[in-house]
Amino acid sequence: MRLKNISTFIFVSVLLINILVVCSCASRPETVAVKPFRQIDGEEFLRIVEKNPGIQVVDVRSANYRQMVYIRGSKHIPLENLESRIGEIDLSKPLIVYCQTGQKSVEAVKMLTAQNPVELMELGGGISQMFTFLATEPWKLLGTPDKKFLYDRLRGLIVTGEAVVGLPMPDASFTDINGNKVSVGKIKGKPVLFAFFPATDLKLFNKIAALAAAYRKKFTGLNFIAVAITKNEGEEKSLKKYLRTKKWKGQIYIDAQGTNAGRLGISEFPAFSLIDAGGVIRMHNVIQMEGPVDSCHDRTLEEMAGMVASGKLPPYPMSDAELSGIRQMKLVGAVAPAFSLPDAKEKNYSLSTYNTGGGILLIFGTLHCPFTVRELIVANSCSTASSPSGGFKVMAVLAGSSFQEANEIVQFASEHQINYPMLMDSSGEAFKKYSISSVPVWWVIRQDGVIRHREIGFAEATCKLVAQALEK
């Protein structure tokens, strides 16, 4: 089960499942047989819309998904209202139906097929497939540059307020250091590297200023803009005073209250966003000034900036799922990241002090995930398992912070007679250290603190697998 993360769901590579639906229809007197629907992929969808801009497109998702992102010009009719609102669709004209991942749209075409539309198409994989298609742009255009119009068409069709690599930078209004309003949407014709930082962190600003000076010399086609996050007018005045002493000549914008940074999903600093000459985001929310950036396929910030400055397309960033998988595997063979967390009864446990026996089985999950629940129950029998160094211990780290969630953990432990600590990671600190983006994930840690094995999902033979990993 994937953890809920509305602001980043766009970046996730979705597993597209092609579902074959067989529609049986009753015969009608003096009518032709009901026409079946046709499933199309993202590229075919774009070609159809390119040739027929006015084609009917119906979005059958719920309102909350529609608010995040939708296809321009599509009509929103939630699946649960489709039957009663069928009159809003012209069945004598071609029709395309889509949802988030392709599940609801299959149900929708079942209803619509019975109405005998002239031509019915379903976007396989839903709108998520459109973002999967978007991720292919850098390497696809290397071999077939004539397909650029498809990606440009996609950028014109997707409507979202999110900052998404491959789509235009959402318009945001700043003020420059002189108090003039500046619109990001008007900064086109020249690549831009934005560097966000808190106005009070002058040490960080000095580093950004040095980086800006170096990049301006190296990449003459790149516009480097520092964006200062201010909480009040006092912080803005203090920064301006400091800039006068430094005789700062570079470009700097003010983001009052961090309004735009928050809207763009930026919460850690420094944060760098790279936009090409056409206003399209090519890198976003990178927090590393130096060294390889794993989300950018280990390219450095300088390499990415150089590519965009020269007019090249850098690689599309890795999805959260890909990235977490790579980061997790890097932990195997290394010392397990330390943490200290409370259980539901507020008793604190630390990984190092708990690991005093023959090793630990460490489980990350949530009680809202049925696979986590099964894993927690099976793991309870592991306390009697053994390895050459003795029986290993079990510890679980669960996502949750509320009083209600604490009660659920207590009740679950009582119901299933759980005899190991189940800790609450209210801040997400431990989840972040172990790069957890989906659950359950469990780890086998030796007594010396070294991670021996990582496993994803539920396994009936968990205890045996843990013992085998500790014996290696």
Side-chain angles (χ1 to χ4, degrees):
M1 176 179 289
R2 181 150 300 282
L3 301 179
K4 294 180 180 179
N5 191 333
I6 294 177
S7 65
T8 59
F9 86 98
I10 292 176
F11 294 97
V12 178
S13 295
V14 180
L15 176 63
L16 303 178
I17 304 175
N18 293 320
I19 305 174
L20 177 62
V21 178
V22 180
C23 301
S24 59
C25 306
S27 60
R28 300 177 184 177
E30 301 179 0
T31 62
V32 296
V34 174
K35 298 180 180 66
F37 76 92
R38 180 164 64 94
Q39 191 177 73
I40 58 176
D41 61 18
E43 183 171 337
E44 188 175 5
F45 173 87
L46 293 169
R47 291 186 183 279
I48 291 171
V49 174
E50 183 73 18
K51 292 180 180 178
N52 185 5
I55 192 169
Q56 293 182 104
V57 181
V58 176
D59 179 354
V60 296
R61 299 173 300 160
S62 55
N64 59 323
Y65 281 104
R66 174 80 177 185
Q67 288 171 0
M68 289 188 292
V69 58
Y70 63 92
I71 296 175
R72 191 184 304 278
S74 62
K75 179 184 285 292
H76 183 220
I77 305 179
L79 179 63
E80 56 269 25
N81 304 130
L82 183 59
E83 193 170 7
S84 61
R85 294 175 58 184
I86 200 76
E88 298 178 30
I89 301 172
D90 189 344
L91 299 174
S92 67
K93 297 180 179 178
L95 167 67
I96 301 175
V97 178
Y98 77 92
C99 64
Q100 191 66 25
T101 60
Q103 296 184 28
K104 284 191 174 182
S105 56
V106 168
E107 294 301 315
V109 295
K110 286 181 182 179
M111 295 185 195
L112 291 167
T113 300
Q115 302 297 319
N116 200 22
V118 65
E119 185 177 7
L120 179 59
M121 292 163 279
E122 183 245 343
L123 178 58
I127 198 170
S128 294
Q129 187 196 147
M130 305 303 284
F131 291 100
T132 301
F133 176 74
L134 187 67
T136 67
E137 182 181 19
W139 61 266
K140 198 84 170 182
L141 295 190
L142 287 175
T144 51
D146 58 308
K147 288 189 175 183
K148 184 179 184 300
F149 80 94
L150 290 172
Y151 296 95
D152 291 338
R153 181 62 179 163
L154 176 58
R155 281 186 270 274
L157 285 176
I158 296 294
V159 180
T160 178
E162 301 280 346
V164 182
V165 174
L167 293 183
M169 183 72 163
D171 199 15
S173 294
F174 301 99
T175 57
D176 64 19
I177 203 67
N178 298 314
N180 302 311
K181 288 187 177 180
V182 184
S183 173
V184 171
K186 294 181 180 179
I187 305 175
K188 290 184 179 180
K190 192 174 183 180
V192 180
L193 178 62
F194 287 103
F196 294 82
F197 71 98
T200 55
D201 193 340
L202 299 180
K203 287 185 178 180
L204 177 56
F205 169 70
N206 288 335
K207 291 180 180 180
I208 289 174
L211 192 69
Y215 279 22
R216 276 195 292 270
K217 288 181 180 179
K218 193 163 190 175
F219 310 121
T220 55
L222 184 69
N223 194 8
F224 195 113
I225 301 175
V227 182
I229 312 298
T230 61
K231 294 180 180 177
N232 50 55
E233 290 184 6
E235 289 186 0
E236 184 175 339
K237 289 179 180 178
S238 295
L239 178 61
K240 289 179 179 179
K241 183 179 179 180
Y242 181 77
L243 292 175
R244 285 194 293 271
T245 65
K246 289 289 184 178
K247 296 182 180 180
W248 169 258
K249 295 182 180 179
Q251 292 190 70
I252 185 165
Y253 293 167
I254 304 297
D255 185 11
Q257 305 296 326
T259 302
N260 290 297
R263 191 162 67 86
L264 297 174
I266 294 171
S267 58
E268 292 185 75
F269 303 102
F272 297 92
S273 293
L274 187 60
I275 292 85
D276 68 16
V280 176
I281 302 173
R282 295 303 176 182
M283 180 193 78
H284 182 62
N285 209 4
V286 167
I287 62 175
Q288 294 163 259
M289 282 195 196
E290 300 176 348
V293 181
D294 52 7
S295 62
C296 296
H297 302 267
D298 287 335
R299 281 180 169 80
T300 63
L301 176 63
E302 183 176 326
E303 286 177 315
M304 295 288 284
M307 292 183 75
V308 174
S310 65
K312 296 178 182 178
L313 292 184
Y316 198 85
M318 292 186 185
S319 69
D320 287 348
E322 289 176 305
L323 197 53
S324 66
I326 291 173
R327 288 173 176 171
Q328 286 175 13
M329 289 310 297
K330 286 181 179 180
L331 289 175
V332 177
V335 175
F339 59 81
S340 179
L341 296 170
D343 64 10
K345 295 182 179 180
E346 299 186 353
K347 180 181 177 181
N348 260 27
Y349 290 83
S350 68
L351 184 64
S352 58
T353 57
Y354 187 69
N355 188 9
T356 57
I360 287 181
L361 164 59
L362 176 63
I363 304 168
F364 282 86
T366 168
L367 291 183
H368 300 291
C369 168
F371 298 104
T372 297
V373 169
R374 294 176 66 187
E375 187 62 36
L376 293 173
I377 293 172
V378 167
N380 198 40
S381 63
C382 289
S383 59
T384 58
S386 63
S387 65
S389 56
F392 55 85
K393 294 182 178 180
V394 181
M395 174 184 280
V397 177
L398 305 178
S401 59
S402 69
F403 178 76
Q404 180 181 351
E405 288 166 326
N407 279 341
E408 289 175 356
I409 292 174
V410 171
Q411 290 174 11
F412 178 82
S414 175
E415 180 182 349
H416 297 282
Q417 298 181 338
I418 301 295
N419 55 18
Y420 57 82
M422 292 194 294
L423 313 182
M424 295 182 66
D425 188 9
S426 59
S427 66
E429 174 194 358
F431 270 72
K432 185 175 181 180
K433 286 183 176 180
Y434 285 79
S435 299
I436 306 297
S437 65
S438 60
V439 294
V441 178
W442 48 276
W443 312 76
V444 181
I445 305 172
R446 284 192 322 220
Q447 187 175 348
D448 61 3
V450 174
I451 296 176
R452 292 295 301 155
H453 183 74
R454 179 217 62 166
E455 193 79 27
I456 297 175
F458 166 72
E460 192 73 52
T462 292
C463 301
K464 182 179 179 181
L465 292 172
V466 173
Q468 289 175 344
L470 289 172
E471 289 171 3
K472 292 180 181 178

